[in-house]
Amino acid sequence: MLATDLRDLQALLRRKRIMFCYCGYVTDAVLTGVGEALKQKMAIDEADTKTMRSVFAVFVEQMQNIMRYSAEREPPDEVDDEATREALHHGLRYGVIAIGHDGGVFFVDAGNLVLKHDVERLRAWLERIRASDKASLKALYREQLRAPREEAARGAGVGLIDIALRASKPIEFDFTEVSQQHAFFSLRAEI
Amino acid sequence: MEKLEISATARSPEISFDVERRHLTIKGESYPEDATGFYSKPLKMLDKVLKGLGTSSFCFDIKLVYFNSSSAKAIMTMLERLDEAAGKGAAVTIRWFYDAEDDFMRELGEEFCEDLEHADFHLEVLKG
């Protein structure tokens, strides 16, 4: 039944302490809109300016990472998942983002498809970031800003460091295979 | 074309570039859709001014309460160009303002100035 289905979905999100959840094509308009709503909600709930800004910052970087990671190198016809093929054809990036608050800690989780081809490189970069302390992260941040590597040139390099700097503990990430060419990548930052 | 004035939007900062007074101010929040595109005009103008600067003075005020990673690159580029000009004899002052309630921005300021060798860099608290 429609009402119970939606109510169940809402209840699931509430159980997971999720305040905002967006699952769909991530466009700049979505970033702007959800960002505004997030700002307003946090202004009501959260007195600490620094925390508010950090949650917002992580949200922006997570959204922009979803938008940047594309399978553009693959001609759409060779992609074996129909929904992905359709999305790529329209130049749209699909992803999921969940922002929540649990026991005094905010979390911003994001997930999107990536090419399996990119997984090892991404995993290595993330491992390095996760293993770095704040001082090392700051040095890495500066290094990336001044002399960009391939990922940084596409924007992802500095963005991930930015997320890690804002987070109050090491970032968590995961990959799961979804098709022949694609894996689903997810990243959690807690603030 | 002695002044460049770009009004702030929900996602981009106000840019105020007074070429005659050699004073550039960036104020607000910066997470535009296309940071490279947004900062290209101010950067082009900055390069033009720095070319003929000689030993004159230049002041760059950064009053950003938030900027994303793409904007960070643009800002770093501007600081590098200014530091280069300072190395050639210009009297460059950079003021990085931060909200007293947000020491993350202060820490970022400390990071951004770490590699500056010639320019005069000051961390200041945003008032009001």
Side-chain angles (χ1 to χ4, degrees), chain A residues 28 31-32 39 49-50 53 56-57 60-61 64 68 138 141-142 144-146 148 152 158-159 162 165-166, chain B residues 11 29 31-33 65-70 72-73 76 80 99 101-104 107-108 111-112 114-115:
Chain A
D28 272 297
L31 193 163
T32 306
K39 268 187 188 171
T49 305
K50 186 177 169 181
R53 295 243 171 83
F56 185 75
V60 171
E61 296 301 331
Q64 292 188 320
R68 278 181 209 120
K138 287 179 181 180
Y141 180 81
R142 266 186 7 247
Q144 285 295 298
L145 279 185
R146 291 173 72 91
V158 184
D162 201 322
L165 275 171
R166 294 274 187 182
Chain B
R11 293 176 54 171
E29 293 189 82
Y31 57 112
E33 288 186 30
V65 294
Y66 166 65
F67 58 86
N68 70 345
S69 54
S70 315
K73 286 179 162 300
M76 182 58 101
E80 284 173 339
D99 183 342
E101 316 250 298
D102 188 1
D103 60 11
F104 189 87
E107 285 175 29
L108 271 185
E111 286 313 302
F112 274 75
E114 187 73 29
D115 297 314

Side-chain angles (χ1 to χ4, degrees), chain A residues 66-170:
Chain A
I66 290 172
M67 287 190 280
R68 278 181 209 120
Y69 267 97
S70 73
E72 272 173 328
R73 277 176 280 162
E74 298 288 291
D77 294 332
E78 284 173 25
V79 171
D80 50 61
D81 174 64
E82 201 192 312
T84 306
R85 204 161 54 232
E86 195 55 37
L88 290 173
H89 185 71
H90 293 285
L92 294 171
R93 314 288 176 254
Y94 188 95
V96 57
I97 193 153
I99 306 157
H101 193 200
D102 194 4
V105 171
F106 287 90
F107 60 87
V108 182
D109 299 343
N112 59 272
L113 285 183
V114 293
L115 287 175
K116 267 178 160 167
H117 172 90
D118 290 331
V119 171
E120 279 327 299
R121 196 170 37 127
L122 182 56
R123 194 197 294 273
W125 181 235
L126 287 161
E127 287 290 355
R128 186 178 170 190
I129 291 172
R130 180 165 63 189
S132 302
D133 61 12
K134 279 287 193 275
S136 312
L137 281 174
K138 287 179 181 180
L140 196 57
Y141 180 81
R142 266 186 7 247
E143 183 192 301
Q144 285 295 298
L145 279 185
R146 291 173 72 91
R149 298 158 30 145
E150 201 195 278
E151 289 95 39
R154 291 201 312 171
V158 184
L160 292 168
I161 304 169
D162 201 322
I163 291 170
L165 275 171
R166 294 274 187 182
S168 49
K169 59 176 260 231

